[in-house]
Amino acid sequence: VSGRCDLPVTRDLFTSLLVIGVMQAALPTAPRTPASQSPQNRSSTNQTPTNQAPDPQRPPEPPAGNVSDDNASPLKPSAPDPAAIVFGTELGLVLVAVKPDKVADYENALVALQEVLAAAADSETRELARSWRVFKAVEVDAKSNPLYVHVLQSPVAGADYRPSLWLDKLLAGAPAELLAKYRDAFAVAPSKLALAEFANMAVAPLPKPTNESPASPATNASPNAPVRNASPATPGNTSPVGATWWR
């Protein structure tokens, strides 16, 4: 009896589920949104950029590749030439050691320079020539190289006394081999000495300043400080007014 009663109920339930499944299959399904892309991300990626007005309070940016003058580093001063012969003292010496077999080449260049300097008409060149004298040492150095001493008395301030520079400047029509032989005559690099006078033997030396320190005060007490070592006056040691010391 129970089997006949449950059969119609089971058939009705199956029919209802079948109808519901057919209806869901007939409805249009909405496209699924990927989990990695949210609606906010889709709106930001699909958003078209708009032209924004420049901010009047914001300074304009410099173009790419151009460096502003304010940020540019200042030019560093060029380093002085270590080979320059420039003196800032009243007397300068240049010691030159010449190869023994190149003495004639060195002296020929100096004689040619001497002729041009002696005939110079401008005052600057003549002043430089008056301060420049060259001596040849009687002795040779330890390697048997002849020595030449250039003595510059009251040299011109800022003037470079390298003979090669003045040979290039004043001997424009000189043979090219003259300067080449002059440069090849050096045994070693010249030595430059800037001299400052230490003593003039014809004048008596000045007295040396004394090293004595100024006299110190008699007491070491600081001002306004109480005298701690003073003992109070004893009443019996004082004499009355008007009494003599021998009484």
Side-chain angles (χ1 to χ4, degrees):
V1 177
S2 61
R4 284 196 294 262
C5 295
D6 295 337
L7 183 59
V9 175
T10 303
R11 187 183 297 112
D12 294 340
L13 179 61
F14 177 76
T15 303
S16 300
L17 293 176
L18 182 61
V19 172
I20 293 174
V22 172
M23 293 177 63
Q24 289 183 352
L27 294 176
T29 58
R32 295 183 179 181
T33 302
S36 60
Q37 184 176 5
S38 61
Q40 294 180 355
N41 294 335
R42 292 199 308 272
S43 61
S44 60
T45 55
N46 297 330
Q47 185 177 1
T48 303
T50 57
N51 296 329
Q52 298 180 356
D55 189 358
Q57 296 181 356
R58 182 178 181 180
E61 297 182 358
N66 296 334
V67 181
S68 61
D69 296 338
D70 296 338
N71 298 328
S73 58
L75 296 178
K76 296 182 180 180
S78 57
D81 188 357
I85 302 178
V86 181
F87 295 98
T89 56
E90 296 182 357
L91 184 64
L93 297 180
V94 180
L95 307 180
V96 181
V98 178
K99 299 175 183 177
D101 57 338
K102 303 293 183 180
V103 170
D105 297 336
Y106 183 78
E107 291 183 352
N108 290 337
L110 290 185
V111 171
L113 180 60
Q114 180 185 5
E115 293 176 352
V116 178
L117 290 177
D122 60 293
S123 59
E124 181 181 357
T125 305
R126 292 187 62 84
E127 182 183 2
L128 181 135
R130 283 192 297 266
S131 63
W132 192 350
R133 300 183 67 183
V134 182
F135 295 85
K136 184 177 181 179
V138 178
E139 300 82 8
V140 294
D141 65 1
K143 296 182 179 180
S144 301
N145 296 319
L147 296 175
Y148 294 81
V149 182
H150 295 246
V151 180
L152 308 174
Q153 182 77 33
S154 299
V156 178
D160 194 341
Y161 281 83
R162 276 181 289 182
S164 59
L165 296 180
W166 292 98
L167 286 171
D168 288 338
K169 180 179 180 180
L170 301 177
L171 294 177
E177 61 181 7
L178 178 67
L179 187 56
K181 291 182 177 180
Y182 163 80
R183 291 175 175 171
D184 188 49
F186 292 97
V188 293
S191 299
K192 182 181 67 173
L193 297 174
L195 304 180
E197 183 176 338
F198 174 74
N200 186 351
M201 297 306 177
V203 180
L206 297 175
K208 295 183 178 180
T210 59
N211 296 327
E212 296 179 358
S213 59
S216 58
T219 59
N220 295 329
S222 58
N224 300 329
V227 180
R228 298 179 180 179
N229 296 331
S231 58
T234 305
N237 295 335
T238 55
S239 302
V241 179
T244 56
W245 63 270
W246 60 82
R247 287 186 181 180

